[in-house]
Amino acid sequence: MFSKEITANVNNGSEIRAMFEQGAKLRAKFGAENVFDYSLGNPDPEADDKVTESIIEYAKTPGIHKYMANAGYPDVREKVAEYTAKESGITLKGENVLMVAGAAAGLNVVFKAILNPGDEVIAIAPYFVEYGAYVRNHRGVFKIVNAKAETFDLDVEAISAVITENTKAIILNSPNNPTGVVYSEETLCKLAEALKAAEEKIGHPIFVVSDEPYVKIVYDGVKVPPMLKIFPHSLVVNSFSKSLALPGERIGYIIANPSIPEVELLMQCMILCARTLGYVNAPSLFQKVIADNLDLATGLESYKERRDVLYDIITRAGFSCRLPEGAFYLFVKSPIEDDRAFCAAALKHNLILVSGSGFGCPGYFRLAYCVSMDSIKNSEKAWMALGKEFDLI
């Protein structure tokens, strides 16, 4: 009766959301203080006072809730372009920027604009769970390449090996969800060289779609290399869900590298797609708000502290993972091969985890540490009990 594809996807469900719902049931049964939910990347810190003040101020502006050009306010687009030009070291104009209703909308707009039926999009496993759905939404073919084992760095040779004449794009996500890995400039430059060689062979550009919601959430002096400078055929998709703790407001942007052939036509295609996919224009009030707060990163120090405390707890409990350089996730090795079974076992200790299989990487599980410090500290006994159950300590 309904779409077979969508019905199947509903039945399969999102593992993240499924575990989040499981957490709600446990909280109702045992009390919120006794349940330790690491399932959802929902920022714990509230938005910065400067952001709140901007919201209040702009809410008073006459006409703020009316339509504007589908691409967004011209002054906002210029501010985003100017800020990104300074950060990336390339020349940008407002015409290279499209304001969108969050990164998910931005990715769908990009894929709708660039994909023909059968075009292939490469993703690096582990990857954000909905990438495949976004690509298939627009009749693309989703191809998975594993990152290097244990380190989760890019495997440039493996990526090169799967490129065909149908390859249209590759998705990069750095800092990465779920691993927290930040790809090095050296590795990215090697990938740029490999893509250039492949483009010369197949006769058309390969777009690098850089999904960057965590670009400001980095630790220990780590710098995120500028994708726009490294990859001439790049599109950057960003949102302020994480950096400004505004996930419910759905605000972000797309930047098209001016080096892309016929970039003006691409911008017009994306503007049309944003409109016809139903986004129409990015939220008017929050366009203005984010334009005044492009340099902020809400909760950065608190995330680092939570990362360090949780990492210490789980490693003392016998678990192992790479210390993340960015984002707010730990991607931890499962003590048994069946990571879904392990996450089910963790529920007995009121620990809500998400299996690595949902991210295309079995044998691991993800922890979102954008939760309260009290919850992290109070979960120590549960982690120790879980470690003992699996003979890790």
Side-chain angles (χ1 to χ4, degrees):
M1 180 175 177
F2 306 118
S3 164
K4 293 179 180 179
E5 178 184 352
I6 300 303
T7 302
N9 287 339
V10 169
N11 291 336
N12 291 336
S14 166
E15 291 198 33
I16 297 175
R17 288 289 174 175
M19 296 306 288
F20 181 72
E21 295 298 328
Q22 184 66 50
K25 294 177 182 178
L26 290 176
R27 285 189 290 274
K29 184 176 181 179
F30 297 105
E33 71 280 5
N34 298 312
V35 176
F36 314 109
D37 190 346
Y38 293 104
S39 64
L40 193 62
N42 200 15
D44 177 65
E46 293 296 330
D48 191 278
D49 287 345
K50 185 181 176 185
V51 173
T52 304
E53 291 165 6
S54 293
I55 294 170
I56 294 170
E57 186 61 33
Y58 281 114
K60 302 174 185 177
T61 304
I64 191 65
H65 303 298
K66 298 186 183 300
Y67 285 127
M68 81 297 297
N70 293 124
Y73 289 115
D75 63 312
V76 172
R77 296 169 71 195
E78 285 293 341
K79 287 180 180 179
V80 171
E82 290 173 7
Y83 180 82
T84 307
K86 291 178 183 177
E87 293 288 297
S88 65
I90 73 167
T91 301
L92 291 168
K93 297 180 179 179
E95 288 83 358
N96 301 117
V97 178
L98 169 60
M99 304 305 298
V100 291
L107 290 168
N108 275 279
V109 165
V110 167
F111 293 135
K112 183 68 171 178
I114 68 172
L115 293 181
N116 291 304
D119 282 347
E120 297 168 352
V121 179
I122 297 170
I124 312 303
Y127 54 83
F128 177 59
V129 294
E130 293 183 348
Y131 284 164
Y134 298 161
V135 170
R136 289 186 288 268
N137 277 350
H138 308 294
R139 299 180 292 178
V141 177
F142 191 59
K143 296 185 73 173
I144 301 168
V145 175
N146 291 328
K148 290 185 177 180
E150 305 299 333
T151 66
F152 301 113
D153 290 326
L154 292 176
D155 189 334
V156 176
E157 290 185 3
I159 293 169
S160 298
V162 302
I163 293 174
T164 73
E165 62 181 11
N166 294 322
T167 302
K168 180 60 71 72
I170 178 172
I171 311 172
L172 297 180
N173 175 219
S174 176
N176 180 261
N177 173 12
T179 65
V181 167
V182 176
Y183 301 136
S184 72
E185 186 163 358
E186 179 182 3
T187 300
L188 291 170
C189 287
K190 288 180 180 177
L191 177 60
E193 292 174 3
L195 293 179
K196 182 179 179 181
E199 289 173 333
E200 291 173 354
K201 182 177 180 180
I202 64 179
H204 64 76
I206 298 173
F207 295 103
V208 173
V209 181
S210 183
D211 182 24
E212 301 188 0
Y214 303 97
V215 70
K216 285 190 170 298
I217 304 177
V218 289
Y219 315 109
D220 307 319
V222 171
K223 301 292 184 182
V224 180
M227 299 292 191
L228 289 168
K229 189 172 184 178
I230 295 170
F231 299 101
H233 300 146
S234 52
L235 292 130
V236 165
V237 180
N238 202 346
S239 83
F240 297 87
S241 295
K242 316 302 182 182
S243 62
L244 295 184
L246 296 172
E249 305 305 343
R250 311 315 304 149
I251 180 67
Y253 59 77
I254 303 168
I255 298 178
N257 196 311
S259 297
I260 293 173
E262 299 185 274
V263 67
E264 296 86 358
L265 177 58
L266 173 60
M267 289 300 303
Q268 291 303 313
C269 289
M270 291 195 297
I271 291 167
L272 174 65
C273 290
R275 186 166 68 246
T276 56
L277 288 172
Y279 304 118
V280 185
N281 55 253
S284 56
L285 171 63
F286 278 90
Q287 288 189 52
K288 296 289 189 179
V289 170
I290 62 96
D292 289 351
N293 296 281
L294 293 169
D295 58 340
L296 285 182
T298 299
L300 187 57
E301 289 303 314
S302 68
Y303 287 143
K304 182 181 184 301
E305 183 181 7
R306 295 169 207 209
R307 176 199 70 167
D308 293 344
V309 171
L310 182 57
Y311 181 81
D312 176 67
I313 290 172
I314 65 166
T315 53
R316 285 192 288 108
F319 297 93
S320 63
C321 74
R322 173 174 171 170
L323 185 69
E325 297 108 335
F328 38 58
Y329 307 105
L330 297 179
F331 202 55
V332 189
K333 185 73 174 175
S334 172
I336 58 175
E337 185 176 350
D338 189 341
D339 51 305
R340 288 190 171 101
F342 172 77
C343 290
L347 290 173
K348 296 183 294 184
H349 301 273
N350 290 347
L351 288 164
I352 316 299
L353 322 174
V354 180
S355 75
S357 292
F359 300 94
C361 191
Y364 289 83
F365 60 93
R366 191 193 77 169
L367 307 176
Y369 56 83
C370 51
V371 299
S372 72
M373 182 62 85
D374 284 345
S375 183
I376 291 174
K377 290 181 176 178
N378 291 340
S379 71
E380 181 173 355
K381 290 183 179 179
W383 281 111
M384 294 302 168
L386 187 60
K388 288 178 181 178
E389 179 180 337
F390 284 88
D391 298 322
L392 300 179
I393 53 175

